[in-house]
Amino acid sequence: MSAKKTALTVLSAALLLPAVLMAPASAPAEAAPAPPPPADGKGQPPKAPDAAAPPPSMSTVGGARLGQPGTQVNLLPGAPALPANLSGRSWIVADAETGEVLAAHNAHWRLPPASTMKMLFADTVLPGLPKDKVHLVTDEDMEGVGPGSSLVGVKEDHEYSVHDLWLGVFLRSGNDAVHVLSAMNGGIEKTVKDMQAHAEELQALDTHVVSPDGYDAPEQVSSAYDLTLVARSGLQKQDFREYCGTAEAKFPGRQEAGRPREYFEIQNTNRLMTGAGGITPYKGIAGVKNGNTTMAGSTFTGAAQRGDKKLLVTVMNPDNGGLNGVYEETAQLFDWGFAAAGKVKPVGELVPPKSLDASPLGSPAQTHGKGKPAAGGQAASGSGGLGTALGIAGGALAVLTGGAFVVNRRWPRGRRGPGGGDAL
């Protein structure tokens, strides 16, 4: 493929052909009789109470229906039925432009997020680090990378640009790249605080951040609703769109004095994008992030376009289909959402950030922690000219950096926050 000669390969029709995906995780250093480590970290086994069932009532951010357990959908005449074989513990289908939630299942159930947490990391940290800045990696930068973590191959005493490191985060879900970027942001502790503050600014109030890379940690949770809010925020940023929509790239390798820098190829672990693992690439896919850990199972948030309709789908921890299950159920929900558009009554909405929530009806959702929004964490204001840059070219997805395909993000007008009720 000629695109492999470039430092960055953006999606094209050719890139949507099935390809062999590199192993998603490094094996733990110590031998153990346990199963192979998951894609982005080997964590502690889930607690039995958390795995049993969703709580009888959950957050009502976005509407009262979204706080109820079970499937929430209002089918109008002519609407297609939801797929019958969905097994995800939690999922949501939302219009990326209007914010309308077309259907949901346990949308606010707080569950381990795995590497989908990296979307919040990127949306928080990316605006503050110039992409051409070069950093010499130290031993201290790499401290705390969990055993069994997915790695892109960052090495101590080697130099990397911020651009390179973000490719490592999005394509290979590299926890090593996350730790280096966190060090550049002031350290892990500061980065976690910044992420928590930004989550609260976005009204992603189910989210509790413990590790910036999504590695399994006690009490680290998010929800399908929150992950969808975060993805929608991230897709307003051109660099975020570029990285999450990149299928293949070159990553810096060995660096020796007096010799040209070596590079090696990396491929996105998003199987709906690359077609790896026997999954059919989804026509119109534009990212955004997948994950898999012991506690979380498989998680995925995706964005896709068909015609002028743009959808966001999040699926958390399906029981069926093995590693492919999360992609198969996401594809089914995309198909349903595109077919159901205009034929369902929304069951809720994706709320705006707190700083933009000026509705006189009700009150903004209350935070469950302290801290101010991270600097640069929310670059947009108002509702005009904000882009998700989801583009279709020749029937195959093309990620159009620079915002050639722009979607005006229209904020909902209904009640917001706990107790606000349905905005239907």
Side-chain angles (χ1 to χ4, degrees), residues 49-50 52-60 63-72 105-110:
D50 296 337
S57 63
M58 295 169 278
S59 168
T60 58
R65 288 283 298 273
L66 299 181
Q68 298 175 12
T71 300
Q72 308 299 320
H105 179 77
N106 301 326
H108 280 291
W109 192 2
R110 296 181 178 185

Side-chain angles (χ1 to χ4, degrees), residues 194-236:
D194 289 348
M195 290 170 64
Q196 189 66 58
H198 187 48
E200 291 171 1
E201 159 64 11
L202 295 177
Q203 304 204 63
L205 304 184
D206 300 323
T207 298
H208 181 238
V209 185
V210 177
S211 65
D213 52 19
Y215 191 86
D216 281 341
E219 299 183 3
Q220 178 156 266
V221 292
S222 190
S223 67
Y225 183 88
D226 281 14
L227 293 174
T228 307
L229 278 184
V230 172
R232 192 179 187 215
S233 176
L235 287 168
Q236 312 308 310

Side-chain angles (χ1 to χ4, degrees), residues 94-263:
D95 188 302
E97 183 178 35
T98 67
E100 293 176 338
V101 176
L102 306 185
H105 179 77
N106 301 326
H108 280 291
W109 192 2
R110 296 181 178 185
L111 297 168
S115 272
T116 48
M117 182 66 81
K118 289 182 172 78
M119 295 188 299
L120 178 60
F121 170 70
D123 195 38
T124 303
V125 175
L126 190 154
L129 296 177
K131 63 193 303 182
D132 58 352
K133 183 176 182 178
V134 176
H135 180 75
L136 179 65
V137 175
T138 67
D139 293 342
E140 291 76 14
D141 294 343
M142 302 287 281
E143 289 180 356
V145 176
S149 287
S150 55
L151 306 173
V152 66
V154 175
K155 302 297 182 184
E156 297 87 342
D157 301 320
H158 284 54
E159 292 182 336
Y160 300 87
S161 70
V162 168
H163 176 77
D164 293 329
L165 293 169
W166 282 121
L167 288 172
V169 170
F170 277 95
L171 273 69
R172 295 305 304 164
S173 205
N175 290 4
D176 47 357
V178 170
H179 277 249
V180 174
L181 288 165
S182 296
M184 296 176 70
N185 185 58
I188 295 292
E189 183 177 356
K190 176 182 180 297
T191 298
V192 167
K193 290 180 179 178
D194 289 348
M195 290 170 64
Q196 189 66 58
H198 187 48
E200 291 171 1
E201 159 64 11
L202 295 177
Q203 304 204 63
L205 304 184
D206 300 323
T207 298
H208 181 238
V209 185
V210 177
S211 65
D213 52 19
Y215 191 86
D216 281 341
E219 299 183 3
Q220 178 156 266
V221 292
S222 190
S223 67
Y225 183 88
D226 281 14
L227 293 174
T228 307
L229 278 184
V230 172
R232 192 179 187 215
S233 176
L235 287 168
Q236 312 308 310
K237 300 171 176 63
Q238 177 180 333
D239 287 346
F240 188 105
R241 296 193 300 267
E242 175 190 337
Y243 296 132
C244 79
T246 298
E248 295 181 348
K250 296 283 191 178
F251 193 81
R254 186 183 301 273
Q255 185 178 26
E256 295 181 357
R259 303 183 64 177
R261 184 75 178 265
E262 296 179 4
Y263 287 82

Side-chain angles (χ1 to χ4, degrees), residues 379-401:
S381 62
S383 60
L386 304 180
T388 58
L390 307 180
I392 303 295
L397 174 69
V399 175
L400 303 178
T401 58

Side-chain angles (χ1 to χ4, degrees), residues 224-423:
Y225 183 88
D226 281 14
L227 293 174
T228 307
L229 278 184
V230 172
R232 192 179 187 215
S233 176
L235 287 168
Q236 312 308 310
K237 300 171 176 63
Q238 177 180 333
D239 287 346
F240 188 105
R241 296 193 300 267
E242 175 190 337
Y243 296 132
C244 79
T246 298
E248 295 181 348
K250 296 283 191 178
F251 193 81
R254 186 183 301 273
Q255 185 178 26
E256 295 181 357
R259 303 183 64 177
R261 184 75 178 265
E262 296 179 4
Y263 287 82
F264 58 91
E265 295 176 6
I266 58 175
Q267 187 180 51
N268 203 310
T269 55
N270 176 356
R271 296 184 177 188
L272 284 184
M273 181 180 294
T274 63
I279 288 290
T280 300
Y282 194 83
K283 183 178 179 179
I285 193 72
V288 286
K289 193 69 189 76
N290 59 315
N292 188 289
T293 65
T294 301
M295 292 179 68
S298 295
T299 60
F300 182 66
T301 297
Q305 176 176 346
R306 185 172 295 175
D308 61 356
K309 181 63 64 176
K310 292 105 181 153
L311 297 180
L312 287 165
V313 170
T314 296
V315 175
M316 302 186 75
N317 200 353
D319 292 330
N320 300 331
L323 290 176
N324 284 340
V326 73
Y327 302 108
E328 293 169 347
E329 296 194 12
T330 297
Q332 291 180 63
L333 286 170
F334 271 133
D335 286 345
W336 176 85
F338 287 123
K343 301 176 183 177
V344 296
K345 183 179 180 180
V347 294
E349 62 190 15
L350 300 178
V351 296
K354 286 171 62 180
S355 60
L356 299 181
D357 189 349
S359 171
L361 301 176
S363 60
Q366 298 299 309
T367 64
H368 62 282
K370 298 180 180 179
K372 297 179 180 180
Q378 180 65 32
S381 62
S383 60
L386 304 180
T388 58
L390 307 180
I392 303 295
L397 174 69
V399 175
L400 303 178
T401 58
F405 270 69
V406 176
V407 181
N408 290 328
R409 184 169 62 174
R410 297 192 290 273
W411 299 122
R413 296 181 178 180
R415 291 180 177 267
R416 308 179 181 105
D422 288 315

